Amino acid sequence: MDRRSFLKGTAAAGLVGASAGLAGPALSQGAAARTLRFVPQANLANFDPIWGTQYVVRNAAAMVWDTLYGFDETLTPKRQMVEAEQVSADGLTWEFRLRPGLKFHDGTAVLAKDVVASLTRWSARDPMGLMVKALQNELVAVDDRNFRWVLKKPYPKLLMALGKNSTPMCFMMPERLAKTDPFQQVSEFIGSGPMRFKRDEWNPGARAVFERFADYVPREESSSWLAGGKRMGVDRIEWLVMPDPATAAAALQNGEVDWWENPITDLVPQLRRNRNIRVDIADPLGNIGTFRMNHTTTPFNNVKARRAVLAALSQEDYMRALVGDDDKLWKPLPGYFTPGTPLYSEEGGEILKGPRNLDAAKRLLAESGYNGTPVTCVVAQDQPITKAQGDVTADLLKRIGFNVDFVATDWGTTGQRRAMKNPVGQGGWSMFHSWHAGADCINPAVYNAIRASGDGAWFGWPNIPAVETEVANWFEAPDLAAEKAVINRLNKAALDNVVYAPTGFFLGYQAWRANVSGIAKGPLPFFWGVSKT
């Protein structure tokens, strides 16, 4: 029996033992209505949203830590923790005032010194933060509610940097936590967001629990994505880790969970036949599949080896492995930017178009001087998006002529390992799979994975001056026409040098019980405004 038939059969059967994975106390009717049980995309293996960039960490962190600004559904940064800001006529001095009454979960007030320390830690890891840090003359707390940022050169996109939803988001932490080395994980999880993290109930691999923070004061505006009033409609949110899709589908159908973040497409027809379940596209901006190579070690430190992958890679193979036979859920992507957005470009994308050329790929690999060194492919098996891509890659690389060392692991371990720069034989890696939300790929400011600044770049650490030159040019572009011209050159430079291999554009689903209301579309699950009856 093939995988798809097995999943459909077990989901339809209801997997009588599904509830075995939900060990916990029985809830009264009232308590059940105040508790939201959620199946996340993967295990919450670590919980420092500045140290790493995994979406699962960001999604949980958005409940616990608040931000100075937040993107709304129009991708516009709006005030969140900030009450007011002022910028000097020359664009060099920014002054900010915090909202009154902000409080951390340990009962202490949120002060400007906490913000300064948090900005300092974030700016050491985030590409936009690094740009601001390079321009910084002064970042100081003026008093308890006011802080000042003085730059050497104007940075008009500062509010975008502070409010973006791409990882690492600019979360505010208490000063004592924010002073943690940004390349080490924090040891406490104290924020000022609408939910408190219940560390005493955290069981990595099984469950994470969040409890409504009674002292949180939401903004008066209606919520929109990460902006506006974050009003919680439930008192408790339980994240229940279910790496097996059939188990998650059965639990949703049986009413044992309320909301499943990313049901696989194979099971969607079965879920739709259940009148107690709602299914919809999670985010119209979709996702970009990612084949990320390590530019610092053989064989992918040679551009010809990377281009060999592009010459042979079939995006259709990857996308059908991800979404099945529904052509409405995917499209080829001969570039890096989100389809349907103003900066979408196919410049330089010929290598990804037309019939795949295995012979050309083999020639490129030979020209790279590849000598049979094992290619360590780190592939998370508990994340459907990465597992599906990894299965295709294992076959693809072997057909090109790579010696494949396939490391089947979990998403949490992938997140730890991809941060390591060890040699391949000493715990390092050659490639891994991921994906990027379309909202994170609309322009170079929020698109970490397109950057090619060496040690300051995303995992894989590409060092490609031609790409960075165009990124800088984009920031200087005076209008949309100029931005588009720059993006065409950037897209070509990124493909010529293979910053990473895009495996295609795809849409994903989310599913929830009919008695749950307030679920919005977007690049992450927004828990505020969600309630149960």
Side-chain angles (χ1 to χ4, degrees):
M1 180 180 290
D2 62 61
R3 167 181 167 270
R4 285 196 158 92
S5 298
F6 175 76
L7 286 173
K8 292 174 183 176
T10 51
L15 277 175
V16 176
S19 59
L22 303 176
L27 299 175
S28 68
Q29 186 172 3
R34 296 191 300 272
T35 299
L36 185 75
R37 290 184 164 181
F38 175 77
V39 180
Q41 58 179 253
N43 175 36
L44 187 66
N46 66 78
F47 198 26
D48 185 338
I50 305 301
W51 176 85
T53 61
Q54 288 184 314
Y55 284 150
V56 67
V57 178
R58 184 269 317 265
N59 297 351
M63 290 187 283
V64 174
W65 287 284
D66 214 343
T67 55
L68 299 173
Y69 294 81
F71 268 13
D72 67 6
E73 62 186 8
T74 69
L75 300 172
T76 302
K78 297 292 183 67
R79 295 169 185 160
Q80 188 58 34
M81 296 174 74
V82 165
E83 180 180 75
E85 74 286 318
Q86 184 174 348
V87 59
S88 61
D90 60 7
L92 298 181
T93 300
W94 291 76
E95 296 181 334
F96 301 87
R97 183 170 69 251
L98 296 174
R99 286 199 290 141
L102 298 177
K103 189 181 292 186
F104 286 116
H105 300 155
D106 60 4
T108 60
V110 177
L111 304 177
K113 66 178 184 178
D114 302 305
V115 172
V116 168
S118 297
L119 289 170
T120 300
R121 186 168 191 258
W122 163 81
S123 65
R125 297 301 306 262
D126 181 77
M128 290 189 82
L130 287 165
M131 295 177 73
V132 180
K133 184 178 180 181
L135 301 175
Q136 181 176 305
N137 256 337
E138 180 183 60
L139 174 59
V140 294
V142 177
D143 55 32
D144 283 352
R145 285 183 58 198
N146 294 275
F147 65 98
R148 181 172 59 243
W149 216 338
V150 183
L151 308 177
K152 303 171 187 174
K153 180 181 176 182
Y155 191 78
K157 292 182 170 60
L158 181 61
L159 299 188
M160 180 183 289
L162 300 180
K164 66 183 179 66
N165 49 260
S166 61
T167 56
M169 280 176 55
C170 190
F171 290 114
M172 297 297 106
M173 299 181 172
E175 182 185 41
R176 69 180 188 280
L177 299 185
K179 285 187 173 181
T180 303
D181 184 332
F183 294 90
Q184 301 292 327
Q185 295 185 45
V186 295
S187 57
E188 292 182 79
F189 311 113
I190 303 296
S192 63
M195 301 294 285
R196 293 191 309 122
F197 183 58
K198 295 279 290 177
R199 187 167 185 170
D200 60 328
E201 296 190 55
W202 186 23
N203 183 5
R207 186 171 75 160
V209 177
F210 308 85
E211 182 178 78
R212 189 171 68 86
F213 180 42
D215 289 341
Y216 182 78
V217 180
R219 295 189 67 91
E220 294 182 359
E221 305 94 327
S222 298
S223 63
S224 176
W225 281 22
L226 294 162
K230 298 175 181 177
R231 296 174 179 83
M232 302 306 302
V234 295
D235 294 335
R236 179 181 169 94
I237 298 174
E238 297 179 358
W239 279 30
L240 302 168
V241 180
M242 296 184 183
D244 175 57
T247 301
L252 185 66
Q253 292 180 89
N254 294 339
E256 296 169 326
V257 299
D258 304 302
W259 183 5
W260 184 8
E261 181 180 359
N262 62 337
I264 62 173
T265 55
D266 297 338
L267 299 178
V268 164
Q270 177 67 32
L271 296 176
R272 280 182 166 155
R273 285 193 288 270
N274 188 319
R275 62 178 181 157
N276 295 314
I277 293 175
R278 304 289 180 263
V279 182
D280 201 357
I281 295 297
D283 182 7
L285 286 174
N287 307 275
I288 294 175
T290 305
F291 182 134
R292 190 78 179 185
M293 289 165 267
N294 190 336
H295 288 234
T296 68
T297 187
T298 56
F300 294 127
N301 59 348
N302 188 298
V303 67
K304 290 187 176 182
R306 301 196 299 273
R307 285 185 66 81
V309 172
L310 288 193
L313 182 150
S314 167
Q315 292 187 333
E316 181 173 358
D317 288 348
Y318 280 93
M319 293 297 97
R320 294 208 181 281
L322 271 174
V323 303
D325 298 328
D326 190 343
D327 289 338
K328 297 189 298 296
L329 294 178
W330 74 276
K331 61 179 64 178
L333 184 68
Y336 292 98
F337 293 90
T338 305
T341 60
L343 298 181
Y344 177 72
S345 174
E346 296 186 5
E347 191 73 22
E350 291 76 16
I351 193 170
L352 284 169
K353 297 178 180 180
R356 301 293 77 206
N357 194 330
L358 197 62
D359 290 337
K362 291 178 177 178
R363 285 196 300 272
L364 284 166
L365 185 60
E367 291 171 8
S368 76
Y370 177 65
N371 62 1
T373 302
V375 175
T376 300
C377 303
V378 181
V379 179
Q381 303 296 293
D382 60 340
Q383 171 51 263
I385 295 174
T386 58
K387 183 183 186 308
Q389 294 184 89
D391 291 344
V392 177
T393 290
D395 176 65
L396 171 70
L397 293 182
K398 290 174 183 176
R399 287 190 291 118
I400 296 173
F402 287 100
N403 176 11
V404 177
D405 173 25
F406 191 90
V407 178
T409 184
D410 61 88
W411 188 228
T413 300
T414 300
Q416 300 275 351
R417 187 162 179 173
R418 69 186 185 181
M420 300 172 63
K421 294 185 178 180
N422 301 33
V424 167
Q426 300 174 35
W429 56 277
S430 304
M431 66 78 56
F432 68 89
H433 280 295
S434 186
W435 74 101
H436 305 296
D440 294 352
C441 306
I442 58 171
N443 65 48
V446 298
Y447 197 170
N448 292 356
I450 200 68
R451 300 298 300 273
S453 53
D455 286 343
W458 198 53
F459 308 114
W461 309 284
N463 187 353
I464 305 169
V467 168
E468 286 299 294
T469 295
E470 299 304 343
V471 170
N473 289 339
W474 180 83
F475 274 93
E476 300 292 336
D479 53 40
L480 182 58
E483 288 186 21
K484 289 181 177 180
V486 171
I487 290 300
N488 282 337
R489 299 195 300 269
L490 172 56
N491 199 72
K492 185 178 188 306
L495 282 167
D496 286 349
N497 294 279
V498 197
V499 172
Y500 73 84
T503 60
F505 172 84
F506 65 97
L507 298 171
Y509 289 104
Q510 59 180 340
W512 63 95
R513 299 284 298 180
N515 66 325
V516 177
S517 61
I519 291 177
K521 294 184 179 183
L524 64 150
F526 303 111
F527 292 95
W528 33 92
V530 176
S531 60
K532 289 174 61 178
T533 57

